[in-house]
Amino acid sequence: MPAPGRLMLFKTLMMLAGAGTVTLALGAHSAAPDVAVAPDVAVAPDVAEAGSMEAIASATTEPRFSSPWVSYVPASATVPSPSAFLGRIAGAPGELVDSRQAYAYARALAAASPRVKVFTIGRSEEGRDILLLAIADEKGIANLEELKGATAALADPRTLEPGAAERLIADARPIYYLNAALHSDETGSTESVLELAYRLAVSEQPMIRRMRENLVVLINPVCNPDGRDKQVEWFYSYLKGRTDRDTLPRQAPPYWSKYAFVDINRDAHQLTHETTKAVSRMFFEWHPLIVHDLHESVPLLMSWNGTGPYNPNIDPITFTEFQALSFHEVETMTGLGMPGVSTWNFGEGFGHMFMDSVAMNHNAIGRGYETFGNGTAETLVQSLAPEEFSREWYRVLPPPADKFSWSARDTVNYNETGVLAALDYVAGNSRMLLRNFYTKSLHSWRRGIDEAPHAFLIPPDQGDPTRVAQLVMRLQAQHIEVSRSESPLSLNDGAFPGGTYVVRLDQPYRNYAVDLLAPQHYPKDGGEPYDDVSWELPAYYHLAVIPTADPAILRLPLTALVSAPRPEGHVSGAGPVYLLKDTGQEGLFEARYRLGHFQLSIAERPFVQDGVSYPAGSWILPAQAGLQEALRGVAVPMGLEFAGVKAVPDAPAHPAPVPRLGVWVPWADTDSIGWVRYSLDQRGIPYTYIRDEDIRAGKLRDKIDVLLYGHVDLELAEQIQGIPRSWGPMPFKKTPQTPAFGSPAASDDITGGIGWPGLGQLQDFVERGGLLVTLGNASMLPIEAGMLRGVRRDSGGVPRSSAGGGAAAAAASQDAVTRTPGAHVRVSFVRPEHPIAYGYTASSYVFRQNFALYATPRRWLRMAYCTTCLDGPVDARSVVMEWGGHDEQPFLVSGQVWGEANLIGRPAILDSPVGRGHIVAFNFNPLYRDLNRGDHRLVWNAILNWRAILADRSAAPMGAR
Ligand SMILES: [Zn+2]
């Protein structure tokens, strides 16, 4: 029960919040039974729903883990409460709503209340609707279209001068968007926002009335319904009734959506997941001033605003706004006696690639909570580390103890109280926040006029016109306007051909355009970043995008692009032999698969035909029936140019049939490797999904030619042994009780990994002539388990999983540890004639996260004196690419690096014969979140040239057959 003394405190807070006079007794009509309930809760003018106070008090583990605002549910004669609909309060122990129940409740709420409307804003990969609730007073609901029009107008200052903006602000309302259930095992947010929606719709508390009258609150109760439903079924299958944290099994299903797990929250720039696309559509339809994403991890509630360094391309006003909001929450909740509410000390605020970032990147405010959660709906005893409950300036009232009981309702209480505090702040400062929104858009537009650069120019033909078009489309998807110059451009600082794309910077989203198109400069003393430090699209795409300081570009005639550019390719000449010049086209991979069984060779050396120079990697298609027609079907949509010639040129070439491709996805981590499947699916590449049990079953060589093992966030032991067998069997398949399981892959038991038998089968696959391609951490498996011999790991690197601040931040200023936490850095081909190099220059750059460092291979001769080192001479024949350029350019292209001296010269790609097969191991992830499209072809080359790679025995190490 609440401690004495909180009554006065609460009274003060309600008055501060604009609540005016409050009646402190229970409402006269309360049907609450005469039991011990919180005496200091101001219910009137509401009437508490019968039993709600008791149910909430009983589900709350300590009175201080609640607040007067959420310790009852208001009764309504006409609108169904969560209890009336679900038969329980939100956050009741041992229960979770799935998307069907949550949506049914949302629809019931909208049907019963004139203050609630429901919209469908998207459909998930597995076909579930994504719903949005809008809540305001009756007048607001009647005027939603006008209110949307007002925020849209404020977002574009080119058509709204300041005087008109001020008149608009007088009638507009801030729109506040709440996002729940993005990370599926953070289960409390859906429960929280369903009760919040009801409270906002029916409560007559003055504070809440003011929210309804001044705001439009948007709630997305289940933004990732595929994951929610899998998680809810997982809870009821494996977690329900288990309250001993020390003996809990894995708390989440292997998948949260078709492709991603935690990374569903990492595609703000590229908009790949349906969840993100839906929120992006919502953003540009409603222009909410605030996008607030609800997560769970930090005790007891952390309101994000980063530690800095802050992104220099985001208007500084945004950072003051989100600080103000966070401190308001800390102040209010601490005043209500709720311990453990903090801000700062989480993330850095430089990279904005998350769900809320759609707001940060478009002149609005992106924010989030990390509320404490159990990962289960059961009540658990939780223990905190000393640094989690110390008293700090950013955590003025720390969590109460190092060990306490925490419930699902506690999470609801914190979420809902925090959000109410935030909504109260925004309702009370609505004009200021609307004005800030307009001012930020105005600043962004004016900077493009008043300062250089005034535009970015993207030449249309850079070897891969399709990739240029894809870059332009990414900008358009972010509502960054792009134009095209039909005639050649002559500017003070350069000349550009007709057809050049132009991103004029006199536009409201100028700041985001600069952030995406110019290199990042993360400060060297900036501490450990939370995620990547570079997202420069030209670096990801390997394209030149040139800034201009010539203001004339703002006055020259340009054609605004109203749709996505579609470069068309051609088939010229009568044949019967056709050639395709390799100019680095990323689409060659897809084109090869589309051409299926047509014969095709790839040139191993440059050659000249009919006066045209063809580099190594170019295609030679001999005369064959139906070829010209098939080529036309590929050339036109994919922007490829095929030239007909009379005869097959005299050039060394190797046949390039399409391989049978397998993609191994370990059950222990489906997340970052999900992007491999995404990239293949987007290109329509057929492949076999290989599970751990498929590897254990063996006979891999009978089924596939190439096994692609993408980057996983697993150490070697977990890559081999997988999810602990002691938790098994853990089926993940469709049953009447678990209809959401079994997608995108099913299993009778996801535990046990490949084990040692599976490792043997992998070795067998390679020795029987298979090609194993490993990316990022996946390369640990062949190297550190000894399939690819002679390569030692160096302790000078750090694994990616150590990122995230804390102790690592202390090491950040040291160059002793090599770190490339998501940066673009230079590489060079040691074997420029290798098929992996086709389409690239000898010196290039790639995107690199923190991966283990490996030494150049050595031979092992004396086998004495040192158990950890190899004592023979260096044997660099298997090194295809190494870190560092061979030209004069700086190692860092975009982002930041530390300790690069210990990285430069080490292998970046190894290709070694093993038995009759080969292993190609990448020390980076060339298939990263559908971003580094300029790196993709390195992998595509390895797959398309599999026959040639297997045939090459020149780098055979000692003992290889
Ligand atoms: Zn999360």
Side-chain angles (χ1 to χ4, degrees):
M1 291 299 106
R6 290 183 67 198
L7 182 121
M8 282 311 295
L9 177 69
F10 177 58
K11 185 172 179 180
T12 309
L13 279 160
M14 288 299 277
M15 293 179 78
L16 282 174
T21 310
V22 285
T23 310
L24 295 165
L26 289 176
H29 304 291
S30 170
D34 185 21
V35 295
V37 294
D40 57 351
V41 172
V43 172
D46 289 339
V47 174
E49 184 180 58
S52 66
M53 294 178 98
E54 297 77 8
I56 290 169
S58 129
T60 301
T61 57
E62 295 187 34
R64 57 186 162 183
F65 293 159
S66 186
S67 76
W69 293 351
V70 298
S71 53
Y72 73 96
V73 175
S76 168
T78 54
V79 181
S81 69
S83 303
F85 196 83
L86 302 169
R88 62 169 177 87
I89 56 163
E95 302 295 341
L96 288 175
V97 290
D98 62 14
S99 69
R100 190 186 49 80
Q101 294 166 303
Y103 291 165
Y105 180 62
R107 290 197 168 100
L109 203 55
S113 170
R115 297 164 177 171
V116 181
K117 257 189 124 158
V118 68
F119 302 89
T120 302
I121 57 168
R123 176 163 289 185
S124 73
E125 281 83 355
E126 294 183 1
R128 295 175 178 88
D129 281 346
I130 301 173
L131 250 58
L132 182 73
L133 286 161
I135 304 165
D137 61 358
E138 289 81 347
K139 184 177 162 211
I141 292 293
N143 291 334
L144 283 182
E145 291 308 314
E146 287 85 343
L147 292 170
K148 274 194 239 178
T151 47
L154 292 171
D156 191 349
R158 292 173 299 187
T159 52
L160 190 70
E161 51 82 25
E166 206 52 47
R167 287 190 293 280
L168 198 58
I169 287 166
D171 292 323
R173 294 187 186 194
I175 297 174
Y176 196 114
Y177 170 83
L178 288 155
N179 195 69
L182 181 58
H183 286 155
S184 305
D185 70 347
E186 301 165 9
T187 55
S189 53
T190 296
E191 302 275 329
S192 307
V193 297
L194 291 179
E195 182 175 291
L196 175 74
Y198 173 75
R199 190 182 302 280
L200 290 174
V202 307
S203 173
E204 292 302 332
Q205 290 288 357
M207 180 176 85
I208 293 191
R209 269 214 314 270
R210 186 167 70 151
M211 291 171 191
R212 277 201 302 267
E213 288 162 5
N214 287 284
L215 307 175
V216 176
V217 179
L218 301 179
I219 293 178
N220 184 338
V222 190
C223 76
N224 171 20
D226 295 351
R228 178 72 184 186
D229 289 359
K230 290 183 204 321
Q231 181 70 40
V232 169
E233 291 174 12
W234 189 267
F235 169 76
Y236 285 106
S237 299
Y238 298 116
L239 303 172
K240 185 162 169 78
R242 303 182 68 161
T243 56
D244 177 12
R245 194 165 189 275
D246 295 336
T247 60
L248 280 181
R250 180 184 163 108
Q251 287 189 277
Y255 276 99
W256 283 346
S257 73
K258 187 174 179 185
Y259 296 110
F261 200 70
V262 174
D263 264 12
I264 196 166
N265 192 27
R266 301 293 193 278
D267 65 332
H269 300 317
Q270 63 274 44
L271 301 176
T272 44
H273 299 114
E274 293 304 325
T275 289
T276 317
K277 288 183 198 167
V279 174
S280 175
R281 275 194 295 275
M282 175 285 302
F283 183 86
F284 293 108
E285 182 182 345
W286 295 81
H287 295 90
L289 263 53
I290 294 157
V291 170
H292 187 159
D293 199 13
L294 298 168
H295 291 256
E296 291 170 21
S297 68
V298 179
L300 297 173
L301 186 149
M302 153 77 69
S303 180
W304 300 349
N305 52 33
T307 58
Y310 291 137
N311 185 311
N313 293 318
I314 286 175
D315 196 294
I317 295 172
T318 297
F319 296 114
T320 64
E321 287 175 315
F322 83 166
Q323 299 280 9
L325 272 156
S326 293
F327 277 102
H328 180 76
E329 288 154 347
V330 175
E331 180 182 16
T332 304
M333 295 177 76
T334 301
L336 288 166
M338 301 176 86
V341 181
S342 65
T343 182
W344 198 73
N345 202 36
F346 187 88
E348 87 290 318
F350 188 83
H352 296 279
M353 64 279 286
F354 312 101
M355 174 63 85
D356 64 293
S357 302
V358 65
M360 290 304 256
N361 293 328
H362 294 93
N363 303 325
I365 305 166
R367 58 197 315 265
Y369 288 165
E370 298 289 340
T371 309
F372 206 33
N374 285 339
T376 166
E378 300 292 359
T379 301
L380 300 181
V381 174
Q382 291 275 6
S383 301
L384 301 186
E387 66 270 17
E388 290 179 306
F389 65 96
S390 57
R391 191 177 297 272
E392 308 287 349
W393 67 265
Y394 54 82
R395 185 169 55 215
V396 286
L397 181 63
D402 61 346
K403 203 167 184 184
F404 52 88
S405 200
W406 187 260
S407 70
R409 181 66 206 189
D410 294 338
T411 302
V412 170
N413 292 339
Y414 270 74
N415 275 339
E416 213 183 330
T417 305
V419 169
L420 286 170
L423 293 175
D424 183 46
Y425 178 91
V426 176
N429 294 281
S430 59
R431 307 289 155 243
M432 176 186 78
L433 290 163
L434 286 162
R435 192 173 298 115
N436 284 350
F437 179 58
Y438 171 74
T439 303
K440 289 187 283 185
S441 307
L442 183 71
H443 284 170
S444 187
W445 166 55
R446 284 300 319 181
R447 282 185 78 179
I449 299 168
D450 297 337
E451 63 182 71
H454 298 292
F456 285 97
L457 296 117
I458 312 173
D461 184 5
Q462 303 192 38
D464 190 353
T466 302
R467 199 166 357 135
V468 172
Q470 289 168 351
L471 171 67
V472 169
M473 284 160 64
R474 281 245 145 114
L475 298 173
Q476 291 177 308
Q478 295 294 349
H479 291 232
I480 292 169
E481 296 165 7
V482 185
S483 306
R484 185 172 49 217
S485 174
E486 307 305 342
S487 47
L489 284 167
S490 180
L491 299 169
N492 284 345
D493 41 14
F496 300 87
T500 292
Y501 298 104
V502 181
V503 183
R504 277 172 49 165
L505 292 176
D506 56 338
Q507 58 172 305
Y509 300 142
R510 172 265 176 205
N511 287 350
Y512 190 29
V514 172
D515 203 42
L516 289 175
L517 294 174
Q520 272 70 50
H521 302 287
Y522 189 85
K524 196 102 179 179
D525 60 356
E528 188 70 25
Y530 186 74
D531 204 282
D532 299 336
V533 289
S534 176
W535 42 91
E536 186 204 340
L537 290 184
Y540 271 137
Y541 281 66
H542 290 209
L543 293 172
V545 175
I546 301 120
T548 179
D550 187 346
I553 192 68
L554 303 181
R555 298 186 298 272
L556 291 171
L558 300 170
T559 309
L561 291 187
V562 291
S563 59
R566 295 206 173 279
E568 282 191 4
H570 308 87
V571 180
S572 56
V577 172
Y578 285 88
L579 305 178
L580 175 70
K581 185 172 175 173
D582 183 357
T583 53
Q585 306 94 320
E586 192 269 325
L588 289 192
F589 183 54
E590 180 179 343
R592 178 64 192 97
Y593 271 88
R594 283 206 200 182
L595 289 171
H597 295 295
F598 283 97
Q599 277 181 47
L600 187 163
S601 304
I602 296 180
E604 295 177 345
R605 299 273 180 276
F607 64 92
V608 177
Q609 179 73 35
D610 300 348
V612 179
S613 297
Y614 290 82
S618 296
W619 285 7
I620 302 164
L621 293 117
Q624 47 202 306
L627 179 63
Q628 198 183 35
E629 202 47 42
L631 291 181
R632 202 163 281 126
V634 168
V636 175
M638 302 194 63
L640 298 173
E641 301 290 338
F642 291 91
V645 295
K646 293 211 160 47
V648 170
D650 181 21
H654 55 254
V658 292
R660 296 169 301 165
L661 179 64
V663 176
W664 171 29
V665 184
W667 286 116
D669 180 23
T670 63
D671 193 30
S672 40
I673 206 166
W675 294 100
V676 172
R677 293 172 42 244
Y678 179 85
S679 294
L680 294 172
D681 287 352
Q682 290 298 305
R683 289 159 181 77
I685 309 296
Y687 61 90
T688 306
Y689 185 116
I690 308 271
R691 307 164 303 166
D692 295 340
E693 52 262 56
D694 300 324
I695 289 186
R696 287 199 306 263
K699 296 207 166 94
L700 291 168
R701 191 66 194 92
D702 296 348
K703 298 171 205 155
I704 54 172
D705 303 305
V706 177
L707 180 60
L708 179 58
Y709 179 28
H711 168 63
V712 285
D713 269 321
L714 299 171
E715 286 291 333
L716 179 63
E718 281 67 45
Q719 293 189 34
I720 298 171
Q721 304 297 351
I723 298 168
R725 197 176 283 284
S726 58
W727 295 339
M730 281 187 139
F732 181 68
K733 59 182 182 184
K734 230 175 255 311
T735 68
Q737 291 73 41
T738 58
F741 280 9
S743 170
S747 180
D748 290 325
D749 183 8
I750 62 169
T751 72
I754 59 170
W756 290 106
L759 200 58
Q761 294 295 346
L762 285 177
Q763 176 110 19
D764 183 69
F765 165 73
V766 177
E767 293 196 345
R768 285 172 185 265
L771 174 62
L772 174 64
V773 180
T774 59
L775 315 179
N777 280 354
S779 295
M780 277 182 194
L781 187 91
I783 293 176
E784 297 181 30
M787 294 166 72
L788 197 165
R789 302 293 302 272
V791 183
R792 282 287 187 264
R793 182 169 180 171
D794 185 296
S795 57
V798 290
R800 180 184 169 223
S801 53
S802 75
S813 60
Q814 310 294 326
D815 269 351
V817 178
T818 298
R819 288 174 307 117
T820 54
H824 287 94
V825 296
R826 296 198 72 81
V827 290
S828 43
F829 282 100
V830 179
R831 295 173 60 185
E833 79 295 345
H834 194 285
I836 290 176
Y838 293 161
Y840 289 89
T841 49
S843 264
S844 187
Y845 52 87
V846 298
F847 181 76
R848 189 181 196 274
Q849 297 165 279
N850 290 326
F851 294 111
L853 302 187
Y854 293 106
T856 304
R858 297 187 84 96
R859 288 168 58 75
W860 193 26
L861 294 179
R862 299 183 66 188
M863 305 184 184
Y865 309 124
C866 178
T867 54
T868 57
C869 60
L870 297 163
D871 56 2
V874 164
D875 178 2
R877 288 174 300 164
S878 58
V879 181
V880 176
M881 176 194 271
E882 66 180 22
W883 296 109
H886 286 168
D887 47 24
E888 297 300 302
Q889 303 198 52
F891 180 63
L892 177 67
V893 175
S894 175
Q896 188 54 274
V897 294
W898 290 264
E900 62 264 41
N902 192 31
L903 176 61
I904 291 169
R906 290 181 182 274
I909 302 175
L910 291 164
D911 170 26
S912 179
V914 174
R916 287 191 285 124
H918 265 246
I919 295 174
V920 171
F922 286 74
N923 187 228
F924 57 102
N925 182 4
L927 297 179
Y928 180 69
R929 296 180 183 167
D930 191 31
L931 281 169
N932 51 348
R933 298 221 179 142
D935 302 349
H936 285 5
R937 247 204 80 181
L938 297 164
V939 185
W940 304 158
N941 280 342
I943 296 171
L944 283 189
N945 296 281
W946 65 287
R947 274 275 177 83
I949 289 173
L950 286 169
D952 178 13
R953 317 308 300 168
S954 63
M958 62 203 164
R961 280 166 279 176

